[in-house]
Amino acid sequence: MEHCEHHPVKTDTASTAATVTLHCLAGCSIGEFTGLAIGVEFGLSVAATVTLATVLAFITGFALTLYPLVYRRGMTVALAFQTVWIGEVISIGVMEIAMNVTDYLVGGMSATSMFDAIFWIGFAAALVAGYVFAYPVNYYMVKRNMPRCH
C-alpha cells in the first residue's frame, strides 16, 4: 500500500501549492455551485444558502480527495480521512469563507434565478477569491511538509 508523503521531499513549493489549490477549488466549486443554485432557485435565505453551499463544498472537496486514496492507493476510508482531514478542513474552510463572502458582496446570492447574470458574476468572482485566499494557506502547508495526497 502506497502512503502519502509525510517526510521532506524536494519539490517546487509554489507549483505544488498551485496544484493543491486548484484541486481544492475543483472540489469546492462543485458543492458550492450546487448549494448556491439550490438556494437561489428555491428562494432560501442567504444564511441557508451559505450553509447548504458550504456543507456541499466540504462533502465534494473531501470526496475528491478521498476517492484516489481509497481506490488508487488502497487505503481504507478511515485511514485516508485520518491522513488528510486537517489539511482539507483548513484549505476548504479558507476557500469557503472567501467564496461565500465574495459571492454575497457581489450579489450572486441575491439573484432571483441562477439564470440571472449576477448569479454567474458572483460565482466567477467567488472562484477567483477562493483561489487567491487559499493559495497562501496551501503554500504554507506544502512548505511545512504537511501530507500531500492529491
Side-chain angles (χ1 to χ4, degrees), residues 42-53:
F42 286 99
L44 301 179
S45 69
V46 170
T49 300
V50 167
T51 301
L52 180 61

Side-chain angles (χ1 to χ4, degrees), residues 3-27:
H3 292 282
C4 300
E5 301 167 9
H6 292 282
H7 50 83
V9 175
K10 291 189 183 222
T11 184
D12 176 12
T13 303
S15 176
T16 301
T19 300
V20 168
T21 305
L22 283 173
H23 179 272
C24 185
L25 186 64

Side-chain angles (χ1 to χ4, degrees), residues 72-121:
R72 289 191 205 148
R73 295 187 181 190
M75 291 182 170
T76 64
V77 173
L79 178 60
F81 187 82
Q82 181 183 6
T83 302
V84 301
W85 79 271
I86 190 72
E88 289 297 301
V89 167
I90 293 168
S91 184
I92 294 170
V94 168
M95 189 168 284
E96 279 304 296
I97 290 168
M99 289 177 76
N100 283 303
V101 167
T102 301
D103 198 15
Y104 174 77
L105 293 175
V106 170
M109 290 181 191
S110 300
T112 56
S113 168
M114 65 180 277
F115 300 104
D116 290 346
I118 195 66
F119 175 87
W120 292 99
I121 292 167

Side-chain angles (χ1 to χ4, degrees), residues 26-32 34 55-65 92:
C28 286
S29 65
I30 294 167
E32 181 78 14
T34 303
V55 167
L56 292 176
F58 269 93
I59 291 169
T60 56
F62 267 98
L64 286 181
T65 298
I92 294 170

